């Protein structure tokens, strides 16, 4: 489970559901391909949007 994306208990449940769904739909997927499929399903299930990136202050 990716730590940067899955942070709450609800996210963990959604991640497990996404893995189950991926196994059902893509039984032959392995390794990185499986991870990418799970991540895509997870993002759709949770309506994931990345946190805004913080800009570094440049001190002159």
């Amino acid at each position: 489970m990716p730590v940067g994306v899955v942070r709450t208990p609800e996210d963990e449940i959604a991640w497990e559901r996404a893995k189950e769904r991926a196994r059902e739909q893509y039984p032959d997927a392995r390794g990185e391909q499986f991870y990418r499929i799970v991540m895509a399903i997870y993002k759709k299930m949770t309506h994931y949007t990345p946190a805004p990136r913080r800009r570094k202050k440049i001190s002159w």
Side-chain angles (χ1 to χ4, degrees):
M1 145 176 44
V3 177
V5 177
V6 180
R7 298 182 183 190
T8 66
E10 293 82 15
D11 290 344
E12 290 183 33
I13 293 168
W15 180 258
E16 292 301 320
R17 285 189 8 230
K19 286 188 349 186
E20 290 172 10
R21 197 58 72 90
R23 284 188 196 105
E24 291 172 7
Q25 294 178 5
Y26 303 94
D28 297 332
R30 300 281 184 260
E32 186 176 340
Q33 181 186 20
F34 181 73
Y35 173 83
R36 289 175 183 247
I37 293 167
V38 173
M39 182 62 79
I41 293 170
Y42 170 80
K43 286 182 175 181
K44 288 178 185 175
M45 289 172 71
T46 61
H47 306 287
Y48 175 78
T49 55
R53 295 184 72 182
R54 295 174 57 189
R55 297 183 74 187
K56 292 182 180 179
K57 288 187 176 181
I58 299 175
S59 58
W60 300 86

